[in-house]
Structure formats: C-alpha cells, structure tokens
Amino acid sequence: MKFLDVIRTAVHNSFRSKMRTALTVVAIFIGAFTLTITTAIGTGISSYIDNQLASVGSADVISIGKATEGDSTVDDGPARYDPDKATAASGFPGGATPPGLPVGALSDDDIASIRGTDGILDANPVVMVAPSYIEFDGNGKYELTVNPSAAVTKADLAAGSQLGGLDDTNELLLPASYLENLGFTNAESAEGRTVTIGSSTYQGEMKEVTATVVGIQNESLFGSGVGLGQQLTDALVDVQNTGKPRGAPVGYFAAVAHIGSDATQPEIDAIKADLEDQGFVGRTVADQIGTIQTVVNGIVGVLNAFAVIALIAAGFGIVNTLLMSVQERTREIGLMKAMGMSGGKIYALFSTEAVFIGFLGSAMGALVAIGVGSAISNVLSETLLSDLQGLDVLKFAPASVAGIVLVVMLIAFLAGTLPARRASKQNPIDALRYE
Amino acid sequence: MNTPILSAQGIRKSYGRGSARFDALRGVSLDVNAGESIAIVGKSGSGKSTLMHLLALLDIPDGGRISVNGTDATKLSVKQVNQLRNEDFGFVFQQFFLTPNASVLDNVVLPLEIAGVSSKERKARGMAVLKQLELDDKAKNKAINLSGGQKQRVVIARALVNNPRVIFADEPTGNLDTATGSLVEDILFSLNKEQGITLVIVTHDVELAARCDRQIYIRDGLEEGIDTTAGAAA
Ligand SMILES: Nc1ncnc2c1ncn2[C@@H]1O[C@H](COP(=O)(O)OP(=O)(O)O)[C@@H](O)[C@H]1O
Ligand SMILES: [Mg+2]
C-alpha cells in the first residue's frame, strides 16, 4: 500500500465512527487549547519583559550596595556590631532605607573605592529625595512619586528625550499619566515646559525648585513615577538638607556605577566579583529583571504542566478509541492481511489514524485558542492593562503553536502504538473466523 | 509432469492445547496442478477450510510440508508470502467480507491498493473486472445495498482483479440460492476454462464438487481417497 493511500485510508477510517472520533478530538482539543493559551501567556509576558529590558537597555549600569554579612548566611546569627561601618538610616539623605535593600550603608570612602575598581568608569551615590508636590502653570499642586530607577534605566519615551542630555538644567521626565492633571493636552505640549516642584527642608519649611520637562515616558514596569535628572536631584537634596545639623553621619544605601557600554558578560561578572571581594553587591538591570522572568517562567511552567496532564488524559482517550476500532475491524484487518498487506502497513494504518486524530484535535484547539486568545488579549490591553503600554498578555508565536501541534501528534502516535500493535499482530485466520 | 503449483505433504494442524486440543488435520497430502479445478469436499467440521487456509499460506501447519511451485513454503520470507498472496492468489471466503459502506469499486480494488497500484490504474482495472462480471453499473453503489448474488460477484471480482494464478473459494455458493449459486459457479468455471486460472474450491455440495476436474474427500481430518475421474461429465 502506498504511503498516500495509507494516509487517505486512515483519515477515512477515523470518520467511520464519527461520534467516537469527535469525543476523542474534543478531549485533545481541550488539552491543546489550554497548552496554546498558557504558552501564549508565557510568550506574551516574556516578550514584554524582554522589550522592557531592551528599551531600558542600560547594560552599562550597575547598582551597588553594601554586602551585609547576613546576606550570605542564615544560620550564623547577627554579625558583630562594627562602629566604623557607616550607620544611621537617618543619615540617608531623604529618609530611611527602602525596604528590600541591603541594610549596610555606603560611606564616602566606599564610593571612592568603588570608583577605583577596575572597569568602573564612574560611580555616584543614590540619594533619596521626597519632594512634596509638582505644579504646572498654577493648575494646582499634585503629589508625585519619584522613579528611583530613572538614573539606571532608559525611559520608554512618548515624546522628548532622555535625562542627561542638557547641562545646567534641572531635567525632569514626566510619566504620561501625569499630563492631564497637570494641565497638559498631550505629550508634545508638555515637552520643554517648566514645572515647579515643592520640597520641605530639614526643618519642615516648604521650598520650591523649578525644572524643565525634557521627556514624557510611557507607563511601564520599570518606569512609573517622575524621573529626576542628577542636577535636579542635587538641588532637591540641598533643599532637604537645609538646616540639617552639621556632623550628622552621612551614608548612602546604594550607588550607581557606569561601566563600558561594550562590556561583555565575563567582564561584568569579573567586575561584580571584584566588588564582592571589597564587600559590595553589584546588580545589573539584567540581574534584576532576570528575577522577574524566573518567577513568570515558573508560573507558566506550572500552567503548562496542567495542560500536558490534560493531554495525557486525552491520550488514553485515543488508546480507547483505537482499541475499539481494532476490535470492530478485526475482519477487515484479517482480510487485508490475507490479501498480502504486511503487519507493518497495518501498524502504519492505525498509527496514522491516531496521529490524524491528534492533529485534528490539536490544530482545532490551537486555532480556536489563537482566535479567542487574541480577542481577550485585545480587550485586556484596552481595559484592565491599558496602563502597561505594549503588553499583549497572550502572544502566539508560530513556532511554539506548531511545536504544540507536533507534540500532541507525538502523544497521539504513542497512544496509538498499543492498538496498532494489536492490529498488526492479528492472525488473519483468527480474524476471518471471528464472528 | 510439471511441478504442481501447490503441494501439501502429510500436513497436520491442531487447535487448542492439552485436553482442549483438537486435531483438525491429521496428515493430508495433495497436489494442485496449474490450470486444474480441484474440489475439497467433506462434511462441516471435517477440516476443509483449515486445509485451504494452509494451502493458501494463510496459516502454518504443525507438521508436514507445503510447497509452492516446488519451493518449500518455510523457505519463503514473510514479504514473499505476502506478495504471493497479493499477486498470485485470489480469495473467496465463506463470508463476503465486504466493507459495507465503501463503494463496490473500492471494495474490488482493495488487493490493488495493498499492492501499491496507482489510483488511476486501480480504477481502470477495477472497472474492467466489474464489466466482466456485469457489475459496472453498480460500481458506485455501496456494497451494503447489493443482493447476495451481487455481493458474491463483487467478491469474485475482488479475487480476480489482480489477475491471480489461483483462486481459493470457500463454500462460494453456500450463502446463495440455487439459481444464483449456479450462476456464480458458471463464472468460476469460465474463468478456469478461459483464463486458465487454477481453482481450489471448498464445498460440501456434491454437485459443485462434481463439476471440478478432481475431488479430494476429507473426513475427520483425513483424506478418504482420491477420485481421479474427470468430473465435467456431471
Ligand atoms: N481457531 C480454531 N480454534 C479451535 N478450533 C478450530 C479453530 N478453527 C477450526 N477449528 C475446528 O477445527 C475443525 C475443522 O474446522 P474447519 O476447517 O473450519 O472445518 P470445515 O471448513 O470443514 O467446516 C472444526 O471442528 C472446528 O471447530
Ligand atoms: Mg469451512
């Protein structure tokens, strides 16, 4: 029997018992549908994070903190108090240590030694400023959140340019969501305008600083809040420190260092190792985002596992369907064998039928998943997730959809081996006598 | 004399094991010569079908030897046996074994499909053999919608489509009324006379047996004696 005839006959046979085939196809459909959707969620979120990472793009920035002894060991108990260590959370310009960051503070000496590390071009302490309000053109005062990572990331801009382009200017990046309240009609109209920022001094007295909006950024995972340029930050620190008693200890919770933008991963690793030897912890943007990615991958992995379990259950449906077919077609198989059909071809006939059923279910499941998923994804990105521009929760990559269909066909083939073997081993005489 | 196309020497066949063991054939020998028609005659349960299946290499004897054209069947590979059954043998079994919902033509060309003949040639040869059996107008009908006689003619067409050298027919008229039965007999014997196809016919019908060149009588798995009178006289 020719290969094409085997396929044609197998396809034809699978339609002989329509109800039974249909039910098996439905089981596979559900599994393939789920797997396609979960994979698409994985792809969607991963590619969003990748895009964010690409737009952030500052591969040349390392955030550096003080390594605390407690970081490495849980069992050793607290480390001995060291009076030489820069201390006092109150010493951070602007307030307490943000949660989740190393507790140890960096002193000016530490900053100097970071600057002296091989491969590090420059290093600046990160200072926390907490301005009270922002106002444009007398349209009212609004609270503002400062984007702490503005210095280490590249903003995804709706208009204007990045921070650091203008000398002697108090540069500021405005999130798109601030535009309306402040009284701007659109992103372009805000570019280059001057806004006023209010901040209280150490004594609690309110002072104002003016700043120029250099760019407007889209809302994103890494870019919520107002981005402040270095000069504006310095100006706000000055305001905050006005009236601060002399001699209060100074420390920084972190520093931002630049390395050569062409640094390779081994070079970056070497710099991080070097920093570690000096008692610092360095984390690149990629390190930080990698953590998020790991969590997302974990969740998607669990979802996929459920879908695969559904598919394995569907595989047993195929086994069952085909065993019944083999039983029903005993005489037909016997006749074909009597007429010289080889066991191998009989095997191929039933395996092909299994694979075809698998293909039907998975192709339909994948297609419907793409249709339904795209619709849901569109609705979501216009409603619930509209703040996260550029996020398609479900993203269907042709390669992974094709991969799913192939995997299901493989599962179907494996499920078909038992019935196909049984059919191919049948003795034609027993089959022909079978009543 | 030429080597017989099929030869069985002292073949034995048992079914079951132990106390349930049943000896269906207990040492039967026979030669089938090319171009002759031979009847295997006996009562129900005497082992006729078993003998025919063994001659057609559908089963393997427990003892004795089967040769095809002088070659020991045990020396043939599985592939050669399949090819032999596919190309040189035609089968008419006790039941029709037609695929009910497939068309008459599709049923008839099954041996060609198994042989890997192209679908165009299958159709041409299938239609030719249906025409020969005056069934060409039924080619597109479903097999299930035919009468018993028509079904048996379809089965003969299927046995004939690959131009076999031997046709094995197991009770070819068993399921048919007398009139239709004799029609089917006529077809078989004309194939034997006109195309030189060897006939191995299993039957318990003495009249049908008498139309064959030779008769082998089987009783309880043993041969009763070879009658060599030319049977066409009946
Ligand atoms: N697969 C089998 N298992 C057990 N007994 C069988 C089997 N096939 C045939 N027999 C027995 O062998 C004997 C001969 O069968 P068979 O050759 O079909 O006889 P016939 O065709 O002459 O009626 C019968 O008694 C039958 O019951
Ligand atoms: Mg019989």
Side-chain angles (χ1 to χ4, degrees), chain B residues 2-20:
Chain B
N2 295 341
T3 31
I5 188 164
L6 292 168
S7 166
Q9 249 97 59
I11 52 169
R12 272 191 291 277
K13 181 77 187 173
S14 318
Y15 295 109
R17 265 164 211 286
S19 61

Side-chain angles (χ1 to χ4, degrees), chain B residues 139-183:
Chain B
K140 292 206 157 42
N141 288 33
K142 280 186 176 182
I144 201 172
N145 296 330
L146 301 180
S147 71
Q150 287 170 330
K151 278 183 188 161
Q152 194 66 317
R153 269 150 66 204
V154 171
V155 169
I156 293 171
R158 183 175 65 190
L160 205 58
V161 75
N162 55 349
N163 290 321
R165 299 211 287 148
V166 187
I167 287 183
F168 295 91
D170 197 345
E171 313 270 13
T173 57
N175 290 325
L176 306 176
D177 61 78
T178 332
T180 330
S182 61
L183 205 84

Side-chain angles (χ1 to χ4, degrees), chain A residues 430 433, chain B residues 15-16 22 24 43-51 94 202:
Chain A
D430 292 344
R433 282 190 192 272
Chain B
Y15 295 109
F22 180 81
K43 284 192 209 138
S44 181
S46 54
K48 310 181 294 291
S49 295
T50 304
L51 178 59
Q94 252 174 303
V202 167

Side-chain angles (χ1 to χ4, degrees), chain A residues 4-150:
Chain A
L4 270 178
D5 283 325
V6 169
I7 294 181
R8 195 182 49 80
T9 311
V11 168
H12 181 82
N13 284 347
S14 64
F15 287 117
R16 267 161 62 174
S17 180
K18 292 194 183 60
M19 187 66 169
R20 201 166 60 204
T21 302
L23 289 173
T24 315
V25 166
V26 166
I28 298 162
F29 175 94
I30 293 169
F33 178 87
T34 318
L35 193 57
T36 311
I37 293 277
T38 54
T39 309
I41 292 175
T43 313
I45 294 180
S46 291
S47 88
Y48 177 67
I49 291 174
D50 280 349
N51 282 344
Q52 294 286 318
L53 183 52
S55 76
V56 164
S58 300
D60 57 344
V61 173
I62 296 186
S63 313
I64 298 165
K66 188 99 174 168
T68 52
E69 270 83 317
D71 266 0
S72 49
T73 45
V74 181
D75 316 330
D76 291 354
R80 183 176 287 279
Y81 172 69
D82 176 3
D84 293 340
K85 235 179 180 176
T87 48
S90 62
F92 293 142
T97 312
L101 282 165
V103 189
L106 295 169
S107 63
D108 283 329
D109 284 352
D110 288 336
I111 303 287
S113 63
I114 291 170
R115 280 190 183 124
T117 305
D118 268 354
I120 293 209
L121 303 181
D122 69 57
N124 286 307
V126 172
V127 287
M128 295 285 287
V129 289
S132 308
Y133 63 84
I134 183 168
E135 180 177 25
F136 169 67
D137 204 18
N139 287 330
K141 294 170 179 168
Y142 291 93
E143 286 186 3
L144 76 163
T145 318
V146 174
N147 175 3
S149 55

Side-chain angles (χ1 to χ4, degrees), chain A residues 136 158-159 174-176 178-180 183-193 213 216:
Chain A
F136 169 67
L174 209 56
Y178 279 50
L179 291 172
E180 198 186 327
F184 295 109
T185 45
N186 56 32
E188 282 71 24
S189 71
E191 189 188 341
R193 308 303 283 268
V213 177
I216 293 81

Side-chain angles (χ1 to χ4, degrees), chain B residues 114-150:
Chain B
I114 290 169
V117 173
S118 75
S119 79
K120 204 173 149 198
E121 193 186 334
R122 288 204 298 258
K123 191 170 176 197
R125 286 171 65 178
M127 286 312 291
V129 76
L130 282 173
K131 196 170 185 108
Q132 188 184 343
L133 293 168
E134 293 164 16
L135 276 169
D136 43 340
D137 55 328
K138 297 270 187 274
K140 292 206 157 42
N141 288 33
K142 280 186 176 182
I144 201 172
N145 296 330
L146 301 180
S147 71
Q150 287 170 330

